């Protein structure tokens, strides 16, 4: 545990590689880069000192346990005596002591209920054995009849883990708790003993329970630190076990071509003379070192230049060179590796090509699949093959053949109680389909169960069990830790992406509206990790989070200051990365089927910066000094966004110019005029003519940009059509038809009305459907006929029908609508009523009941008897059952038939008048609706085939349409704040924001925006 804590805290400790005391850099903490320990015999790994340590530890433990064992524990005393005799015999004969034969005595000692000292001695001895080379890979001698289970072999380490965890039943003693944590940490993180499957889950669950139930704060912290260390080891093993050279996302054929081109200007290196094994080892060492560098840089909190590697070399812009370990000022777009210059870049390319030559190329199936991407997720300049790059999530990830396949795991290793039973089928299906190796399936099972634990709802009430809160908080912290320490295998693995979508995102939806600041803050941190490393795979989910949760919290008059402040911090973080903001704009605002999320985010920040929270609705819950802090944070986010866009455009322009300079000069054909050289002016025209590194022509490179502009213009045309429809439905339909958004088919217009995300006014839709014209009636009939009311109650069917439009005021229009509805309902439910007239009258009666019960202007409300009496004899002269009518009455009374827009308007009015505790109650009710709507939208959008496409920002020209959207809210905000002369800091920020906007407008020759 001391070694684990030293590694976590960064304090000096003994190095596992060189046996020297030094600052524990990443290379020291990871230990030597060598072959897996299980491939080496025990004798080769254990020196004479380890043999002596094992013998001494066993002798000391057996003597103390025997001395402290009570007389009634005859089996324990006899077993200790036999062990001591075996130790004496081994010492006399000079033979090696094998710890496997002494485990029975330690197991009996762990089962000594009521004797904590004996249990502690046994656990301490097991910990020492694990630290001195005990692997437990032999057959399970402690399990009678359990040597072989199913198709796989049960190992001794499985019983050892069970033995340790069974001590939890008597672990009320804090010393035993601490020793259990230490021993489990030693077992899971040992390089010799590998714990897999159910044994790993049992160890993790036990530490989790000790953290939750222990009354000792020190033991809680130790359990948390140990779990962090365990999961880091599990994640590292998964990354290393899947780091197959043949599975890189880089096309080695392309690398070979680049290398051959580079060889024309390079002096032949000595790499071709090296043995193949040496080449592979050098590449693997470089790969592992680069992964470690990424961890170091991610923990440096952005202070990259202050970081040093193992050779005391300062980090460059992209870390350290993958070849010579000097500071890397460049980034290889072919391999996604940091390099210090052209020499190291070409040497790295040559090394990769040689390794591919010796160890085989990828087959055709793997080429078609999205393979394990070694460089995915790094913050770098992406490959500029085209200005707009479409990325599709992985469809299948081929994994290397493992020595032990998941099908060989014993049945008990899969169905152990440590795995959530509700989650078991989901995991087994994924593991079986993808044929994952043991390390991969271990990480998947641990991560999935952490997501399930974080999803559990806390009981509603004034008193909350803090153990449940600690459990949820720890689950989120461990999930965040795994995401922070994951590598390219995790980030490109389809099973993990599926767990993120199906479990983690659902958990974040629930926890992102939690009233507990710690839970809420952890959820936002995880979201930032997802949008940073997994945005290509979670396009739909990211849109739901921003639109339905974050913006709703900022706009709500009932959310606390803490919630608003945390959300603004997330938006500020997004604004610091121009590529993320650009991709939000490209994937949502430039997509006809999506909402304008980026535009809404800018408008919301602009309103907050201008003093939105000074209104009565927010002033009741936000203090003046808090409002000032929120205003400044929103202004900082806006100004930072413009600054990051300016910097991103500059860097992209430089990268494109460097790509042009690196292209070979092509001589002009005879009779063809030579082109004039570029003068290097940094303006929009020069940027638009930049070719990509793949040598694309100007027209080819600009094609995707024009597509983005066309999509944005089409979405603008759609909004114009919606506005025209809301003012005059007939003209709106005609405009939409002329622009290709709808056809003359009645069903097409009906489907348009069903799309609630377009912003069509429900009153205008009702007026259009109620018109007594051929096309209008055809649309009404198509709308009703497209519904399916089979096995649906009348009130539920009526709610569904009336959710599409608002009933018009004219009785004739209502009559035509309800007549068609009643006809459709009776056709779908012929046994329910005698004829359609009954359904027609009863539907009208329900509408009247809704108005009577929920109109505050009506004092004398209709009673249940009145409702039954009003509907006598409507079923072809017969009465409907009283119980049925009473059930309809209760349904309308408890759940009004109303439009979502009306409910939101009532909630806003209620929020403005609420005070104190009423605000908390309203926010709790509001969060329930947020969670419900978010889950529905996430499920709906995840089924769209189009949502699998992700547009990455790759062209400087993408800045122009973004600025056209953002400039006017920015201008209004900066102008208002300058006139107010709030504080010197706000004035300074406004001036800086104006500077950034002027630079963008001048760069792209945007006259209107620049004049503004």
């Amino acid at each position: 545990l001391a070694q684990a804590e030293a590694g976590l805290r960064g304090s000096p400790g003994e190095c596992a590689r060189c046996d020297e005391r030094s600052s524990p850099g990443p290379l020291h903490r990871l230990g030597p880069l060598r072959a897996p320990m299980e491939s080496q015999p025990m004798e080769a790994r254990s020196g004479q000192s380890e043999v002596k340590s094992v013998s001494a530890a066993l002798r000391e433990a057996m003597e103390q346990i025997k001395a402290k064992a009570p007389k009634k524990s005859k089996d324990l005393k006899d077993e200790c005596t036999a062990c001591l005799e075996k130790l004496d015999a081994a010492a006399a004969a000079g033979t090696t002591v094998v710890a496997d034969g002494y485990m029975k005595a330690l197991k009996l000692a762990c089962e000594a209920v009521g004797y904590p000292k004996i249990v502690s001695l046994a656990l301490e001895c097991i910990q020492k054995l694990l630290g001195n080379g005990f692997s437990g890979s032999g057959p399970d001698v402690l399990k009678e009849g359990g040597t072989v289970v199913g198709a796989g072999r049960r190992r001794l380490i499985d019983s050892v883990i069970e033995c340790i965890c069974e001590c939890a039943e008597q672990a009320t003693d804090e010393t035993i708790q601490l020793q259990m944590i230490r021993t489990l940490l030693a077992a899971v993180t040992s390089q010799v003993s590998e714990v897999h499957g159910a044994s790993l889950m049992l160890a993790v669950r036990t530490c989790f329970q000790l953290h939750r139930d222990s009354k000792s704060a020190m033991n809680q912290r130790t359990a948390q630190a140990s779990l962090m260390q365990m999961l880091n080891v599990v994640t590292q093993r998964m990354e290393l076990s899947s780091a197959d050279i043949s599975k890189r996302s880089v096309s080695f054929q392309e690398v070979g071509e680049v290398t051959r081109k580079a060889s024309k200007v390079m002096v032949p290196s000595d790499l071709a003379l090296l043995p193949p094994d040496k080449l592979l080892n050098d590449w693997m060492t470089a790969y592992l070192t680069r992964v470690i560098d990424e961890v170091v840089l991610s923990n440096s909190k952005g202070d990259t230049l202050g970081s040093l590697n193992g050779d005391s070399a300062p980090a460059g812009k992209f870390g350290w060179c993958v070849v010579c370990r000097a500071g890397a000022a460049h980034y290889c777009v072919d391999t996604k590796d940091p390099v210090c210059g052209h020499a190291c870049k070409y040497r790295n390319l040559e090394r990769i090509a040689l390794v591919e030559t010796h160890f085989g190329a990828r087959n055709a199936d793997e080429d078609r699949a999205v393979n394990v991407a070694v460089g995915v997720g790094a913050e770098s300049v992406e490959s500029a093959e085209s200005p707009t790059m479409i990325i599709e999530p992985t469809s299948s990830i081929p994994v290397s053949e493992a020595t032990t396949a998941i099908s060989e795991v014993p049945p008990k290793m899969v169905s152990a109680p440590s795995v959530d039973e509700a989650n078991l089928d989901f995991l087994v299906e994924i593991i079986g389909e993808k044929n994952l190796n043991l390390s991969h399936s271990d990480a998947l099972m641990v991560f999935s169960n952490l997501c399930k634990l974080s999803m559990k709802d806390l009981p509603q009430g004034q008193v909350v069990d803090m153990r449940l809160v600690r459990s949820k908080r720890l689950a989120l912290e461990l999930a965040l830790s795994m995401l922070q320490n994951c590598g390219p295998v995790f980030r490109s693995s389809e099973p993990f992406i599926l767990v993120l979508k199906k479990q983690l995102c659902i958990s974040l939806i629930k926890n992102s509206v939690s009233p507990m600041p710690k839970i809420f803050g952890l959820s936002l941190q995880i979201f930032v990790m997802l949008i940073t490393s997994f945005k290509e795979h979670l396009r739909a989910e990211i849109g739901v989070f921003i639109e339905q949760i974050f913006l709703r919290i900022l706009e709500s008059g009932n959310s606390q200051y803490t919630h608003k402040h945390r959300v603004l911090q997330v938006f500020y973080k997004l604004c610091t990365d121009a590529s993320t903001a650009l991709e939000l704009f490209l994937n949502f605002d430039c997509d006809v089927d999506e909402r304008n999320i980026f535009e809404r985010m800018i408008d919301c920040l602009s309103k907050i910066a201008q003093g939105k929270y000074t209104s009565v609705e927010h002033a009741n819950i936000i203090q003046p000094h808090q409002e000032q802090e929120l205003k400044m944070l929103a202004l900082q986010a806006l100004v930072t966004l413009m600054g990051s866009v300016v910097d991103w455009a500059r860097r992209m322009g430089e990268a494109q110019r460097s790509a042009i300079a690196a292209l070979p000069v092509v001589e002009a054909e005879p009779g063809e005029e030579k082109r004039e050289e570029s003068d290097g002016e940094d303006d929009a025209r020069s940027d638009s003519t930049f070719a990509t590194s793949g040598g694309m022509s100007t027209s080819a490179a600009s094609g995707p940009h024009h597509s983005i502009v066309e999509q944005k213009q089409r979405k603008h045309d759609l909004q114009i059509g919606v506005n025209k429809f809301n003012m005059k439905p007939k003209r709106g339909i005609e405009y939409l038809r002329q622009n290709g958004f709808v056809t003359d088919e009645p069903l097409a217009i009906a489907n348009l009305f069903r799309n609630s995300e377009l912003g069509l006014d429900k009153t205008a839709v009702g007026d259009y459907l109620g018109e007594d014209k051929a096309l209008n009636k055809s649309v009404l009939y198509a709308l009703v006929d497209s519904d399916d009311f089979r096995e649906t109650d009348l009130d539920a069917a009526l709610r569904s029908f009336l959710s599409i439009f608002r009933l018009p005021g004219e009785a004739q229009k209502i009559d035509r609508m309800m007549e068609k509805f009643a006809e459709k309902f009776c056709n779908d439910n012929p046994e329910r009523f005698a004829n359609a007239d009954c359904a027609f009258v009863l539907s009208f009666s329900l509408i009247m009941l809704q108005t009577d019960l929920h109109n505050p202007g009506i004092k004398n409300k209709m009673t249940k008897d009145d409702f039954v009496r009003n509907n006598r004899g409507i079923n072809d002269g017969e009465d409907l059952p009283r119980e049925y009518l009473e059930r309809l009455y209760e349904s309308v009374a408890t759940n009004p038939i109303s439009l979502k827009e009306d409910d939101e308007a009532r909630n806003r009015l209620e929020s403005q008048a609420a005070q104190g505790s009423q605000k908390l109650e309203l926010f709790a009710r509001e969060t329930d609706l947020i969670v419900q709507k978010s889950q529905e939208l996430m499920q709906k959008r995840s089924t769209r085939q189009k949502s699998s496409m992700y547009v990455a920002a790759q062209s400087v020209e993408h800045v122009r349409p973004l600025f056209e959207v953002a400039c006017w809210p920015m201008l209004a905000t900066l102008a208002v704040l300058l006139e107010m002369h709030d504080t010197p800091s706000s004035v300074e920020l406004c001036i800086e924001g104006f500077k950034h906007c002027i630079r963008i407008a001048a760069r792209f020759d945007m006259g209107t925006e620049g004049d503004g």
Side-chain angles (χ1 to χ4, degrees), residues 792-864:
T792 305
D793 288 338
L794 181 64
D795 61 321
L798 188 61
R799 291 178 194 277
S800 176
F801 178 57
L802 296 181
S803 66
I804 303 173
F805 60 92
R806 188 188 306 278
L807 280 173
E810 297 182 22
Q812 293 179 347
K813 293 183 178 181
I814 300 176
D815 187 74
R816 279 192 293 270
M817 293 177 176
M818 301 311 301
E819 184 178 356
K820 179 59 183 177
F821 167 77
E823 177 187 344
K824 171 64 175 175
F825 184 84
C826 288
N827 290 337
D828 288 347
N829 303 275
E831 305 296 332
R832 192 71 58 88
F833 303 117
N835 49 46
D837 290 341
C838 178
F840 176 81
V841 173
L842 188 57
S843 299
F844 254 114
S845 182
L846 289 175
I847 294 173
M848 295 174 60
L849 176 65
Q850 159 69 25
T851 304
D852 189 275
L853 292 180
H854 301 289
N855 190 337
I858 299 178
K859 297 182 179 180
N860 299 323
K861 304 295 184 184
M862 185 185 300
T863 65
K864 190 177 298 184

Side-chain angles (χ1 to χ4, degrees), residues 200-201 204 231 234 441-450 482:
L200 174 63
M201 291 303 306
V204 171
L231 299 190
V234 170
S441 61
D442 286 343
L444 181 66
M445 292 181 69
V446 171
F447 185 71
S448 178
N449 278 273
L450 289 176
M482 290 191 72

Side-chain angles (χ1 to χ4, degrees), residues 83-192:
C83 289
L84 290 172
E85 292 175 354
K86 285 195 293 184
L87 289 172
D88 293 337
T95 58
T96 302
V97 176
V98 180
D100 297 32
Y102 301 83
M103 283 295 142
K104 185 176 180 181
L106 296 175
K107 182 176 184 296
L108 292 174
C110 289
E111 296 172 351
V113 180
Y115 298 91
K117 185 61 177 177
I118 295 177
V119 176
S120 181
L121 287 171
L123 293 174
E124 184 179 0
C125 181
I126 295 175
Q127 179 192 359
K128 291 179 180 179
L129 294 177
L130 290 167
N132 286 280
F134 170 64
S135 65
S137 58
D140 188 1
V141 296
L142 300 181
K143 195 79 172 180
E144 296 183 3
T147 303
V148 178
V149 180
R153 184 169 62 89
R154 181 179 172 87
R155 302 172 301 162
L156 179 58
I157 191 64
D158 299 327
S159 284
V160 172
I161 295 296
E162 291 178 2
C163 177
I164 298 170
C165 295
E166 286 173 357
C167 297
E169 298 177 359
Q170 51 180 324
T172 54
D173 186 271
E174 295 180 1
T175 305
I176 294 181
Q177 292 178 352
L178 184 59
Q179 192 58 55
M180 286 178 62
I181 298 170
R182 290 174 174 174
T183 309
L184 290 174
L185 176 64
V188 175
T189 60
S190 172
Q191 295 186 3
V192 179

Side-chain angles (χ1 to χ4, degrees), residues 270-335:
D270 58 345
L271 291 176
L273 304 178
L274 294 177
D277 293 339
K278 173 65 175 173
L279 278 170
L280 181 61
N281 183 67
D282 289 347
W283 180 85
M284 287 298 298
T285 302
Y287 163 72
L288 295 175
T289 306
R290 189 175 70 85
V291 173
I292 296 167
D293 290 345
E294 291 180 357
V295 176
V296 174
L297 295 177
S298 65
N299 292 333
S300 64
K301 297 181 179 179
D303 189 12
T304 305
L305 298 178
S307 303
L308 300 175
N309 65 4
D311 300 325
S312 299
K317 184 176 182 180
F318 298 101
W320 295 278
C321 178
V322 74
V323 177
C324 67
R325 306 293 296 135
H330 307 281
Y331 206 85
C332 178
V333 297
D334 299 300
T335 63

Side-chain angles (χ1 to χ4, degrees), residues 672-873:
E672 187 180 33
E673 295 182 358
K674 294 184 179 180
R675 298 179 180 178
E676 296 181 359
E677 295 183 358
S678 173
D679 59 358
E681 291 182 0
D682 189 18
D683 56 16
R685 293 184 180 87
S686 61
D687 286 335
S688 65
T689 59
F690 285 151
T692 64
S693 61
M696 293 176 59
S697 65
T698 302
S699 59
S702 61
H705 165 67
H706 289 311
S707 176
I708 294 295
V709 174
E710 291 171 0
Q711 291 181 45
K712 183 60 180 174
Q713 182 60 43
R714 183 165 176 78
K715 191 169 187 177
H716 178 67
D717 293 340
L718 175 62
Q719 187 60 47
I720 292 176
V722 170
N723 295 337
K724 287 180 176 294
F725 179 88
N726 292 339
M727 291 185 292
K728 195 162 186 179
K730 183 178 179 180
R731 290 183 180 179
I733 291 295
E734 181 63 22
Y735 181 87
L736 293 172
R737 186 190 63 78
Q738 291 176 355
N739 286 272
F741 293 105
V742 70
T743 64
D744 292 332
E745 295 293 328
L747 183 59
I749 301 177
N751 291 332
L752 184 74
F753 292 161
R754 287 188 180 277
N755 191 343
S756 59
E757 298 184 2
L758 289 179
L760 296 175
D761 184 71
K762 298 295 180 69
T763 302
V765 174
D767 290 337
Y768 183 88
L769 293 174
E771 289 292 335
D772 189 18
K773 296 181 180 179
L775 178 60
N776 300 65
K777 290 194 292 185
S778 298
V779 173
L780 173 64
Y781 296 163
L783 179 68
V784 177
D785 290 337
S786 62
D787 275 320
D788 185 4
F789 297 141
R790 287 174 295 183
E791 299 181 1
T792 305
D793 288 338
L794 181 64
D795 61 321
L798 188 61
R799 291 178 194 277
S800 176
F801 178 57
L802 296 181
S803 66
I804 303 173
F805 60 92
R806 188 188 306 278
L807 280 173
E810 297 182 22
Q812 293 179 347
K813 293 183 178 181
I814 300 176
D815 187 74
R816 279 192 293 270
M817 293 177 176
M818 301 311 301
E819 184 178 356
K820 179 59 183 177
F821 167 77
E823 177 187 344
K824 171 64 175 175
F825 184 84
C826 288
N827 290 337
D828 288 347
N829 303 275
E831 305 296 332
R832 192 71 58 88
F833 303 117
N835 49 46
D837 290 341
C838 178
F840 176 81
V841 173
L842 188 57
S843 299
F844 254 114
S845 182
L846 289 175
I847 294 173
M848 295 174 60
L849 176 65
Q850 159 69 25
T851 304
D852 189 275
L853 292 180
H854 301 289
N855 190 337
I858 299 178
K859 297 182 179 180
N860 299 323
K861 304 295 184 184
M862 185 185 300
T863 65
K864 190 177 298 184
D865 292 335
D866 294 337
F867 179 73
V868 173
R869 184 168 52 253
N870 292 341
N871 290 282
R872 287 177 179 172

Side-chain angles (χ1 to χ4, degrees), residues 124-267:
E124 184 179 0
C125 181
I126 295 175
Q127 179 192 359
K128 291 179 180 179
L129 294 177
L130 290 167
N132 286 280
F134 170 64
S135 65
S137 58
D140 188 1
V141 296
L142 300 181
K143 195 79 172 180
E144 296 183 3
T147 303
V148 178
V149 180
R153 184 169 62 89
R154 181 179 172 87
R155 302 172 301 162
L156 179 58
I157 191 64
D158 299 327
S159 284
V160 172
I161 295 296
E162 291 178 2
C163 177
I164 298 170
C165 295
E166 286 173 357
C167 297
E169 298 177 359
Q170 51 180 324
T172 54
D173 186 271
E174 295 180 1
T175 305
I176 294 181
Q177 292 178 352
L178 184 59
Q179 192 58 55
M180 286 178 62
I181 298 170
R182 290 174 174 174
T183 309
L184 290 174
L185 176 64
V188 175
T189 60
S190 172
Q191 295 186 3
V192 179
S193 171
E194 292 192 4
V195 181
H196 295 289
S199 295
L200 174 63
M201 291 303 306
L202 184 61
V204 171
R205 185 190 64 169
T206 301
C207 290
F208 206 94
Q209 290 177 343
L210 290 174
H211 174 273
R212 182 191 64 189
D213 299 333
S214 178
K215 297 181 180 179
S216 170
M218 184 186 70
N219 286 355
Q220 291 178 12
R221 291 193 298 268
T222 305
Q224 181 175 357
S226 300
L227 282 169
M228 293 282 189
Q229 188 76 358
M230 289 180 187
L231 299 190
N232 288 343
V233 170
V234 170
T235 305
Q236 290 174 10
R237 285 175 179 168
M238 178 199 67
E239 296 289 339
L240 297 180
S241 68
S242 301
D244 187 352
I245 186 68
S246 65
K247 304 282 193 295
R248 285 178 60 105
S249 64
V250 180
S251 171
F252 289 103
Q253 182 178 0
E254 296 175 1
V255 172
E257 293 175 0
V258 175
T259 305
R260 285 192 293 273
K261 293 179 182 178
S263 65
K264 297 179 181 179
V265 295
M266 287 176 55
V267 178

Side-chain angles (χ1 to χ4, degrees), residues 258-448:
V258 175
T259 305
R260 285 192 293 273
K261 293 179 182 178
S263 65
K264 297 179 181 179
V265 295
M266 287 176 55
V267 178
S269 68
D270 58 345
L271 291 176
L273 304 178
L274 294 177
D277 293 339
K278 173 65 175 173
L279 278 170
L280 181 61
N281 183 67
D282 289 347
W283 180 85
M284 287 298 298
T285 302
Y287 163 72
L288 295 175
T289 306
R290 189 175 70 85
V291 173
I292 296 167
D293 290 345
E294 291 180 357
V295 176
V296 174
L297 295 177
S298 65
N299 292 333
S300 64
K301 297 181 179 179
D303 189 12
T304 305
L305 298 178
S307 303
L308 300 175
N309 65 4
D311 300 325
S312 299
K317 184 176 182 180
F318 298 101
W320 295 278
C321 178
V322 74
V323 177
C324 67
R325 306 293 296 135
H330 307 281
Y331 206 85
C332 178
V333 297
D334 299 300
T335 63
K336 308 297 186 294
D337 291 329
V339 291
C340 62
H342 285 87
C344 287
K345 169 185 175 180
Y346 293 132
R347 184 175 179 85
N348 187 41
L349 291 172
E350 184 181 4
R351 178 169 59 188
I352 293 173
L354 290 172
V355 170
E356 172 67 12
T357 301
H358 289 298
F359 294 92
R362 299 182 300 180
N363 57 40
D365 293 336
E366 289 177 337
D367 284 336
R368 285 191 294 268
V370 181
N371 297 326
V372 177
V374 174
V376 171
E379 294 180 0
S380 60
V381 180
E382 299 291 337
S383 175
E385 293 183 358
S386 63
T388 304
M389 181 173 61
I390 305 298
I391 303 174
E392 296 187 15
T394 57
S395 58
S396 62
I397 302 295
V399 296
S400 58
E401 295 183 2
T403 304
T404 306
I406 191 62
S407 59
E408 297 176 353
V409 179
K412 183 175 180 179
M413 300 290 284
V414 178
S415 59
S418 58
V419 180
D420 192 334
E421 295 297 333
N423 197 28
L424 185 60
D425 295 338
F426 173 71
L427 291 176
V428 171
E429 181 181 356
I430 295 179
I431 294 173
E433 286 182 357
K434 302 304 175 184
N435 193 25
L436 305 180
N437 58 35
L438 274 179
S439 298
H440 207 146
S441 61
D442 286 343
L444 181 66
M445 292 181 69
V446 171
F447 185 71
S448 178

Side-chain angles (χ1 to χ4, degrees), residues 465-496:
D465 189 350
M466 292 309 299
R467 297 188 311 158
L468 300 178
V469 177
R470 285 203 302 267
S471 177
K472 178 184 283 286
R473 179 179 173 182
L474 180 60
L476 290 171
E477 288 176 343
L478 294 177
L480 176 61
S481 175
M482 290 191 72
L483 292 174
Q484 289 173 336
N485 295 306
C486 71
V489 176
F490 188 110
R491 292 195 293 265
S492 59
S493 172
E494 184 181 3
F496 281 100

